[in-house]
Amino acid sequence: MQQGKPSLHTTSWQLITSYWFSRKALLAWGLLLITITLNIGIVLINLYLNHWQGNFYHQLQYYNYAGFISALLDFSLIGSVYIIISGFQVFFQMMLQMHWRQWMTHHYLQRWLHDKTYYYMNHLLHNADNPDQRISEDVHLLATNTLSLFLGLLKQIATLITFITVLWQLSGNLSLTVNQTPITIYGYLVWAALGYSIIGTCLITRIGRPLVRLNVLQQGYEADFRYALVRFRENDESIALYNGETAEKNKFMRIFHNIYANYGKITITSKNITWLTVIYSQVSIIFAFLMASPRYFNNEIQLGQLFEISGAYWYVHSALSYIIDSFSKIAEWQSILIRLTQFTQNMRKAQLLLKATQDLTIHPPVNDSFIAKDLSIQCPRKEFLLKNLSLRVTAKDNILITGPSGCGKSTLLKTLTGIWPFSQGTLAHPPKEKLILVPQKSYIPIHTLYNVLLYPNLHTPITRLAMQETLKLCQLSFLTEQLDQENNWGEILSLGEQQKLAIARAILHQPDWLLLDEATSSLDTETELYMYALLKRMLPKTVLISVGHQDALKKFHTLKLELDGLGSWQLSKLPAT
């Protein structure tokens, strides 16, 4: 293993323990201590109830009506306390689960969004798992299952310590003769429970071991199926125009076949586990009676003591059988932990790959100029799109980038913002808050139109009047009265209207540098020229760096950068208009 690269087990351990040593540790440990205390209280009540059960059957055996009524009153009191403690135990455990989930969700979102890790995972890791499921579902399940299993284990340990002493005292001694040698087994019911549980645990572990791997695969196949359905919904119009329903259905069924086939294996394994678990549980019901019956029929113990022995044995047996009873849950927990651990390692791997592929040095601007020096850009296949580009863009310049399709025009704009991983060279550009890149299809969040226009800086002091006037200028007058409506605007608006909305958003934010990646390609020529003229009028101090194919756009720019897609480039001045 490479030094500094944490193993799967190390990452898993850090994943589970990080919350308990964070800034929220005091609250976490406090809630955990309360929950453990309540669990111990439940165990002690169970101890009293087991003793009560022996006394209750004793009163029945001797037809003691007064003792019978007294036992019922005792049960009512202790039962009420049990109900109250159980309710608070569930309350504090669920509160702890939610606090842990909240912390982990914030932690994962921060790591996933930091330094655009989400972007590099998509572009550098071809087998990256679905982060939406990891963050939304697996984080929740990890917090819930870890607490449930851990607190359940502590409760069973407390139960074992409490009841094994009782069972030892009640079970007495078993005398046997082997080869004419008398043998006395002290506390024989304790040893019987221990042996029975060890055999059952070994068998269930052996049979159920494949379930962990199968659960990991199942979650991956389910995520692939969900992703395919989401993509279908996002592209429903294009699919409808292509009449692609049959092709999509066949694709869905191919993906679902993996779910079906793997679930079949899970079903077989679960069936075997269930058979063994049911046999184990059913035999255990009468096991204590069978083991204690010789003493009862020899008049060594009474009926009440027999039931008290049975109850104590059941608690000891239940504690020793915790792995068997929780095996499916443990297998699910292990698969969740593996998925989240791999997701954590993938985030780290994406950043490491970025450092290995990107050799881009970014400096603050010099005299408000945008400078590129010896800038080279590759596509993911490692083929050069641009070699050794050097240029200086001042506040008086506006650049039009041209070239054939696929030559790297859009990739150059991504590189100028600093996010394209396959790039080398030196850049000096203004702070990111002064630069906006408007792609061909802009991201429009599902929000009110007011917040869509503010995105991503939702606290920008822009008045509603300014928004309405800008929408009118961008030929979106019909939206001026819908600022407070929350909709999926990316579905409601046409591509041309979305591009107008993106330009309106850029005008409102007043950037110093505006990068336009065919941002008006869905507009007719007349409207496209109008939108560029509007940008020049509303943003007179903003530098435009545009990707476009229309010769008519030259009049809005002072320089033309032409790419050929083979690495060569040519920078020329455009005639003033």
Side-chain angles (χ1 to χ4, degrees):
M1 189 187 337
Q2 295 178 355
Q3 186 175 3
K5 181 180 179 181
S7 66
L8 189 69
H9 295 297
T10 301
T11 306
S12 299
W13 176 250
Q14 292 172 347
L15 179 64
I16 295 174
T17 59
S18 54
Y19 170 63
W20 303 96
F21 298 96
S22 67
R23 294 179 181 178
K24 303 290 185 179
L26 185 61
L27 175 63
W29 286 104
L31 290 172
L32 182 62
L33 182 61
I34 293 172
T35 307
I36 291 174
T37 302
L38 292 171
N39 271 326
I40 293 174
I42 291 174
V43 172
L44 294 177
I45 292 175
N46 286 332
L47 176 63
Y48 180 84
L49 287 174
N50 187 66
H51 177 71
W52 173 89
Q53 180 178 240
N55 178 60
F56 180 73
Y57 281 104
H58 181 76
Q59 304 305 325
L60 290 177
Q61 183 179 8
Y62 290 98
Y63 304 99
N64 186 346
Y65 181 74
F68 171 75
I69 296 299
S70 176
L72 289 180
L73 291 175
D74 288 345
F75 180 81
S76 299
L77 177 61
I78 197 65
S80 299
V81 175
Y82 184 89
I83 291 171
I84 294 171
I85 292 180
S86 296
F88 277 112
Q89 186 270 331
V90 171
F91 172 77
F92 283 108
Q93 181 174 332
M94 293 184 69
M95 183 182 293
L96 180 55
Q97 288 172 1
M98 183 49 66
H99 280 290
W100 193 1
R101 181 187 179 185
Q102 181 185 40
W103 184 88
M104 288 187 67
T105 300
H106 178 267
H107 173 73
Y108 267 101
L109 284 175
Q110 189 175 41
R111 288 196 61 182
W112 185 52
L113 298 175
H114 181 66
D115 285 342
K116 297 180 172 53
T117 300
Y118 62 94
Y119 176 80
Y120 298 118
M121 285 180 71
N122 282 338
H123 286 78
L124 298 176
L125 300 178
H126 303 295
N127 59 344
D129 207 349
N130 297 276
D132 53 330
Q133 185 181 358
R134 301 290 82 83
I135 296 173
S136 66
E137 183 176 338
D138 285 349
V139 163
H140 164 60
L141 291 175
L142 182 69
T144 301
N145 288 0
T146 301
L147 278 178
S148 178
L149 290 169
F150 175 71
L151 292 173
L153 178 61
L154 286 183
K155 183 178 179 181
Q156 296 304 332
I157 290 174
T159 298
L160 181 63
I161 294 172
T162 302
F163 281 92
I164 201 168
T165 304
V166 175
L167 185 60
W168 185 279
Q169 294 171 348
L170 292 174
S171 62
N173 304 324
L174 180 64
S175 297
L176 300 174
T177 301
V178 179
N179 294 329
Q180 298 180 348
T181 303
I183 298 176
T184 302
I185 303 176
Y186 298 95
Y188 72 98
L189 284 176
V190 172
W191 300 112
L194 183 61
Y196 185 73
S197 300
I198 290 175
I199 292 172
T201 301
C202 291
L203 288 175
I204 202 76
T205 303
R206 181 180 180 86
I207 293 175
R209 187 176 298 154
L211 198 59
V212 175
R213 180 181 59 83
L214 292 173
N215 278 336
V216 172
L217 290 174
Q218 190 71 11
Q219 289 296 325
Y221 294 145
E222 295 281 3
D224 292 341
F225 190 54
R226 280 196 303 272
Y227 180 69
L229 292 172
V230 169
R231 276 190 53 83
F232 178 87
R233 181 171 58 83
E234 291 175 346
N235 298 277
D236 55 356
E237 184 176 30
S238 297
I239 294 170
L241 292 173
Y242 273 111
N243 294 317
E245 295 83 4
T246 301
E248 292 298 315
K249 179 185 176 183
N250 292 336
K251 180 185 71 177
F252 291 151
M253 293 310 299
R254 283 198 304 271
I255 298 173
F256 184 78
H257 176 74
N258 294 330
I259 296 176
Y260 180 83
N262 192 71
Y263 192 74
K265 298 175 183 177
I266 292 176
T267 302
I268 294 172
T269 305
S270 300
K271 176 199 67 177
N272 295 334
I273 292 173
T274 302
W275 276 351
L276 183 57
T277 304
V278 171
I279 292 171
Y280 180 84
S281 300
Q282 293 301 311
V283 172
S284 67
I285 294 174
I286 61 171
F287 189 78
F289 288 104
L290 290 173
M291 298 300 292
S293 59
R295 296 188 64 207
Y296 175 73
F297 289 112
N298 288 331
N299 292 320
E300 296 178 17
I301 57 175
Q302 298 176 342
L303 181 63
Q305 290 176 301
L306 178 64
F307 275 96
E308 191 173 355
I309 289 174
S310 174
Y313 173 84
W314 184 86
Y315 281 113
V316 171
H317 158 78
S318 177
L320 292 172
S321 305
Y322 182 67
I323 294 178
I324 295 175
D325 296 335
S326 306
F327 189 84
S328 295
K329 197 170 188 177
I330 293 172
E332 181 188 18
W333 174 79
Q334 286 182 306
S335 63
I336 294 166
L337 188 59
I338 289 171
R339 293 196 301 270
L340 277 176
T341 300
Q342 290 174 342
F343 179 56
T344 301
Q345 291 182 330
N346 280 337
M347 287 192 289
R348 184 176 183 273
K349 184 178 179 182
Q351 288 296 332
L352 292 176
L353 285 174
L354 174 63
K355 293 178 181 179
T357 58
Q358 187 184 65
D359 186 18
L360 191 64
T361 304
I362 300 178
H363 297 295
V366 179
N367 297 326
D368 293 329
S369 297
F370 204 125
I371 301 173
K373 183 178 180 181
D374 297 327
L375 184 64
S376 297
I377 303 172
Q378 294 171 289
C379 65
R381 299 186 302 273
K382 304 299 183 181
E383 298 172 357
F384 276 96
L385 299 172
L386 186 65
K387 294 181 181 178
N388 301 321
L389 172 66
S390 294
L391 62 88
R392 181 188 187 99
V393 184
T394 68
K396 298 180 180 179
D397 295 320
N398 295 292
I399 298 183
L400 178 64
I401 303 174
T402 64
S405 297
C407 69
K409 302 185 295 295
S410 298
T411 306
L412 173 58
L413 290 190
K414 295 174 187 176
T415 305
L416 294 180
T417 65
I419 70 169
W420 185 248
F422 308 101
S423 54
Q424 302 87 38
T426 303
L427 280 179
H429 67 62
K432 59 183 180 181
E433 60 269 14
K434 294 185 178 182
L435 183 149
I436 291 179
L437 189 153
V438 181
Q440 190 172 7
K441 183 174 174 59
S442 289
Y443 171 66
I444 302 179
I446 300 176
H447 216 309
T448 62
L449 188 59
Y450 178 84
N451 283 312
V452 167
L453 289 169
L454 289 179
Y455 184 85
N457 304 313
L458 300 184
H459 301 292
T460 305
I462 300 175
T463 65
R464 301 171 72 87
L465 180 60
M467 289 183 179
Q468 291 173 331
E469 291 177 349
T470 304
L471 287 172
K472 290 177 182 178
L473 289 173
C474 292
Q475 302 177 350
L476 295 171
S477 300
F478 67 97
L479 294 177
T480 55
E481 301 303 322
Q482 302 183 46
L483 290 177
D484 294 321
Q485 292 188 19
E486 181 171 332
N487 277 309
N488 186 353
W489 300 103
E491 295 289 336
I492 295 174
L493 302 177
S494 67
L495 288 177
E497 290 169 338
Q498 291 180 47
Q499 290 188 336
K500 292 178 183 178
L501 186 65
I503 290 175
R505 184 162 57 189
I507 291 173
L508 288 168
H509 283 272
Q510 299 280 311
D512 292 343
W513 299 77
L514 182 59
L515 281 58
L516 302 169
D517 185 8
E518 299 190 60
T520 55
S521 59
S522 295
L523 305 176
D524 60 84
T525 302
E526 181 180 351
T527 305
E528 183 177 25
L529 296 178
Y530 168 77
M531 298 306 292
Y532 263 91
L534 179 65
L535 285 171
K536 296 294 293 180
R537 177 159 56 92
M538 300 300 295
L539 303 174
K541 297 182 180 180
T542 298
V543 177
L544 301 182
I545 301 180
S546 307
V547 170
H549 296 281
Q550 299 283 356
D551 286 339
L553 296 180
K554 291 179 180 179
K555 65 180 180 179
F556 301 105
H557 301 82
T558 59
L559 299 172
K560 184 177 79 167
L561 177 63
E562 188 170 1
L563 311 180
D564 66 359
L566 300 176
S568 299
W569 54 276
Q570 182 177 358
L571 182 66
S572 59
K573 288 187 177 181
L574 292 172
T577 57

